[in-house]
Amino acid sequence: MEGTLFGLASFSHIENINEEKQRASATHNRQVRIRANALNPLDIAKIHFHDLPTPEFDSPEPDFNSLSKFPVHLQPSWDACMLLREPIASFFRDISSKSRRVVVVHDSLMSYNVQDVSSFPNVESYVFNCISVFTLYCLICITKGMSIQLEEELLKKLPSLQGIVTDEIREFGASQKPYMEIRSGDIHNTSKVIEGKFLDLLAQVTSEQKKKQWAIGPILPTKLDHISKKNNICLDWLNKQPPRSVLYISFGRTTSFSYREIKELAMGLEQSKQKFIWVLRDADRGDIFTGEARKVELPEGFEERVKEIGLVVRDWAPQPEILAHSSRGGFMSHCGWNSCIESITMGVPIAAWPMHSDQPKNGLLVTEILKIGMLVREWRKREELVTASTIENVVRKLMASEEGDVIRKRAEELGEAVRRSTEKGGASRKELDSFIAHITR
C-alpha cells in the first residue's frame, strides 16, 4: 500500500506530516523539511518528498498596516495551487499501476485537484480536517441554516463570521464542495477527550453524507525525547528559568503587526514584569525563500531593559519543544488550530488573540468551553488597537494570579488526559488503529 498527502500551499495546512509520501511544490516541500517541528530527524528521513511542477507566482510582502489580519498576500500562491490537477492525476496514474492500493490524504481545499482519484479503482481519498471540529460544526450549521447546539450564554458569545476571510477565499472554499463527495472519509486533528461532544454533533449534522470519521489527534509527538539533543537559543534560555514562569508569545505564520501594535505589545510585556519569549516575525510570503524580511524596530532600549526577564526571537522557533518545556507557563496565541492543539496537548493555558479564519471560534472553544485560557481582545473589537495596559493586565492575570493558576491547573489536567489518549487503549490511539485497519483492509 502507498500513502500520500497533499496540502494547500500554506504551511499550517501541510505542517502535521508523518506519512510515507508528501506531495507539494518544490518550494513548499523545502519549507516543510526545514521547519518540521517536533519530529525526530530520523522520522523525517523516512518521508519521501515528491515535487510537483507549480507555475511561478507573485510573492508580495504582507500589508503590515491593514486593519484586517487575513493574509491576502498569499492569494497568488493559492491560485497557483489550483493548477495542480494534471500533475497530480499523472502521479496517480503512475503510482496506481505499481501498488495494490493508494491512500490519498488531502486538505479539503485541495479537493478539486485530487478529484481524479475516482478514475482509479485502487485509489481512495480522505480529507484531513486541519481546523477544530467545533469550528467545522458551527460552519456547517450556519451554512445549512441549522441551529447550533450550545448553551444560550455561549451562543451570545459566538464570534460572527464578519471579517474572518476575504470574499475571494470564501469563493475558493465554495468551489471545492462539488468534489468533496469523492472522499471515503474524514480525519480530524483532535481527540474525543477535547471535542467529544462536537464530534458527536458533527456526525449528526453530516449523517446524510455517510462518510467515516476518525479523530486521531493530536498529530504530533507527545513525547519529545529528542529535545535534549537540540541546540537552540530558546530552549537554552528556558533551561535557566523556574518552572511555569515563562509566557511564550507567537502569532503564527500568517500574522503581521504594524509598528504601533508592536510598540503596544512590547510596552505591555515590559510593564507586566513577567518572564517571556516573544517570537517577533512577520507573516510568511507565499514563497518564504524570496524577498527580505522587514527589520522590526522595538521601542528604544527595550531589549536591554528586559534582558533579565525576556527573550526576543526574530527567527523560526521550535514551538512544540517550547510548549513542552517545564519552564513555560502560558502561551499568547492567534489560536490557529495547530497552535491550539499543541498547547492543549502540552497542558499550557492560552491568552487568546484571534486574527482571522477559524481562529475566533477556536478562541471561544479554548476560553469559554474548555476554560483553559482567557481572551486578550473580543472579536467584535478586532479593528481596535490593543493597548499596552490591556496586554499588561491579561499577562499578569494569566501568569501571576489565582485565576490564572486555576486555568493553568485545568489546562495541565486536560493535557495529561490528551497525552494518555494517544497511548495504547486510549481514545485517540483506538481511532488511529481503526483508521489504519480500514485503509489496510
Side-chain angles (χ1 to χ4, degrees):
M1 187 195 79
E2 292 283 349
T4 188
L5 182 146
F6 294 91
L8 183 71
S10 172
F11 193 66
S12 60
H13 287 247
I14 56 178
E15 176 183 19
N16 290 310
I17 57 169
N18 194 11
E19 305 287 332
E20 292 182 24
K21 297 183 186 290
Q22 162 74 22
R23 310 285 165 186
S25 70
T27 296
H28 291 96
N29 275 340
R30 181 182 171 198
Q31 185 173 334
V32 169
R33 287 189 186 97
I34 66 172
R35 289 184 171 182
N37 276 336
L39 289 182
N40 191 309
L42 296 177
D43 292 329
I44 298 173
K46 298 174 185 176
I47 301 170
H48 174 74
F49 290 86
H50 181 84
D51 296 340
L52 295 172
T54 305
E56 290 187 7
F57 55 86
D58 291 336
S59 186
E61 67 178 9
D63 181 356
F64 315 115
N65 296 311
S66 174
L67 290 177
S68 169
K69 296 299 182 186
F70 188 82
V72 294
H73 67 287
L74 296 178
Q75 189 66 50
S77 66
W78 298 333
D79 291 340
C81 270
M82 287 303 98
L83 301 175
L84 294 178
R85 179 186 173 187
E86 286 305 318
I88 289 174
S90 176
F91 167 69
F92 289 159
R93 280 190 291 273
D94 177 56
I95 197 171
S96 64
S97 66
K98 304 172 183 176
S99 308
R100 181 178 68 86
R101 178 181 294 138
V102 178
V103 175
V104 178
V105 178
H106 66 93
D107 189 308
S108 64
L109 294 177
M110 291 289 282
S111 296
Y112 168 81
N113 282 329
V114 303
Q115 63 180 284
D116 293 294
V117 296
S118 59
S119 302
F120 304 93
N122 61 335
V123 182
E124 56 192 41
S125 66
Y126 298 84
V127 163
F128 174 72
N129 173 38
C130 54
I131 63 176
S132 68
V133 167
F134 169 67
T135 298
L136 181 60
Y137 163 70
C138 290
L139 292 175
I140 289 174
C141 285
I142 292 169
T143 301
K144 292 186 173 183
M146 303 170 67
S147 60
I148 298 172
Q149 299 302 306
L150 284 176
E151 294 84 355
E152 188 175 344
E153 284 304 308
L154 287 176
L155 284 173
K156 291 178 182 177
K157 296 179 180 179
L158 192 68
S160 73
L161 299 182
Q162 188 175 0
I164 62 170
V165 296
T166 60
D167 290 341
E168 287 82 1
I169 200 67
R170 190 173 282 109
E171 292 169 4
F172 179 66
S175 71
Q176 305 297 315
K177 288 184 180 179
Y179 310 99
M180 291 282 286
E181 286 304 311
I182 298 168
R183 76 194 193 282
S184 298
D186 299 309
I187 307 166
H188 302 286
N189 185 17
T190 191
S191 168
K192 289 181 177 179
V193 174
I194 304 170
E195 296 190 278
K197 172 184 175 181
F198 299 108
L199 282 160
D200 291 342
L201 288 170
L202 179 66
Q204 291 175 24
V205 299
T206 58
S207 59
E208 80 285 354
Q209 297 180 10
K210 296 182 172 56
K211 304 293 183 184
K212 292 181 178 292
Q213 301 199 40
W214 295 269
I216 65 173
I219 305 181
L220 78 158
T222 57
K223 296 178 181 178
L224 305 180
D225 299 327
H226 58 286
I227 280 185
S228 58
K229 301 175 185 176
K230 275 203 172 186
N231 182 22
N232 178 273
I233 185 173
C234 299
L235 303 179
D236 291 344
W237 189 83
L238 284 169
N239 288 338
K240 302 170 186 175
Q241 311 307 321
R244 301 182 181 88
S245 66
V246 178
L247 177 69
Y248 171 61
I249 302 133
S250 177
F251 299 102
R253 308 167 188 88
T254 63
T255 302
S256 294
F257 280 176
S258 68
Y259 285 109
R260 189 178 179 194
E261 289 169 326
I262 290 168
K263 179 182 177 182
E264 293 295 322
L265 180 50
M267 291 168 56
L269 292 174
E270 182 177 1
Q271 292 164 12
S272 76
K273 299 184 174 10
Q274 302 301 308
K275 293 179 178 290
F276 65 87
I277 289 182
W278 180 8
V279 180
L280 178 57
R281 54 190 306 276
D282 286 326
D284 284 345
R285 293 172 181 253
D287 181 350
I288 67 169
F289 305 106
T290 62
E292 292 186 12
R294 172 180 62 152
K295 173 62 176 175
V296 179
E297 296 295 334
L298 289 163
E300 186 176 354
F302 172 78
E303 290 182 82
E304 177 65 24
R305 293 194 301 274
V306 302
K307 65 181 180 181
E308 298 301 323
I309 63 166
L311 177 68
V312 178
V313 181
R314 287 183 167 84
D315 203 354
W316 189 250
Q319 181 165 294
E321 288 90 339
I322 291 172
L323 293 172
H325 200 284
S326 60
S327 294
R328 87 291 173 262
F331 180 17
M332 182 177 286
S333 170
H334 62 305
C335 289
W337 186 239
N338 281 344
S339 288
C340 287
I341 200 76
E342 288 170 4
S343 199
I344 291 168
T345 301
M346 299 309 173
V348 182
I350 299 173
W353 191 341
M355 301 292 170
H356 60 78
S357 304
D358 58 322
Q359 298 163 18
K361 286 185 173 56
N362 293 342
L364 182 75
L365 174 67
V366 164
T367 59
E368 297 291 339
I369 298 174
L370 300 177
K371 299 185 183 299
I372 56 167
M374 55 183 64
L375 274 179
V376 176
R377 177 202 57 195
E378 296 178 8
W379 182 242
R380 62 187 177 85
K381 297 180 180 179
R382 61 191 174 277
E383 294 188 352
E384 297 179 14
L385 179 69
V386 180
T387 64
S389 61
T390 295
I391 293 164
E392 174 190 355
N393 291 337
V394 171
V395 172
R396 283 185 172 173
K397 188 182 291 187
L398 184 65
M399 300 298 294
S401 75
E402 289 186 10
E403 181 182 352
D405 290 342
V406 170
I407 291 173
R408 188 170 298 101
K409 185 174 186 297
R410 192 179 293 122
E412 290 172 352
E413 290 171 349
L414 178 57
E416 184 177 349
V418 171
R419 294 192 296 275
R420 282 200 308 269
S421 77
T422 66
E423 297 172 357
K424 188 174 181 179
S428 290
R429 180 62 178 271
K430 287 179 179 178
E431 292 279 294
L432 180 59
D433 290 344
S434 171
F435 176 65
I436 292 172
H438 176 76
I439 62 175
T440 57
R441 63 196 183 280

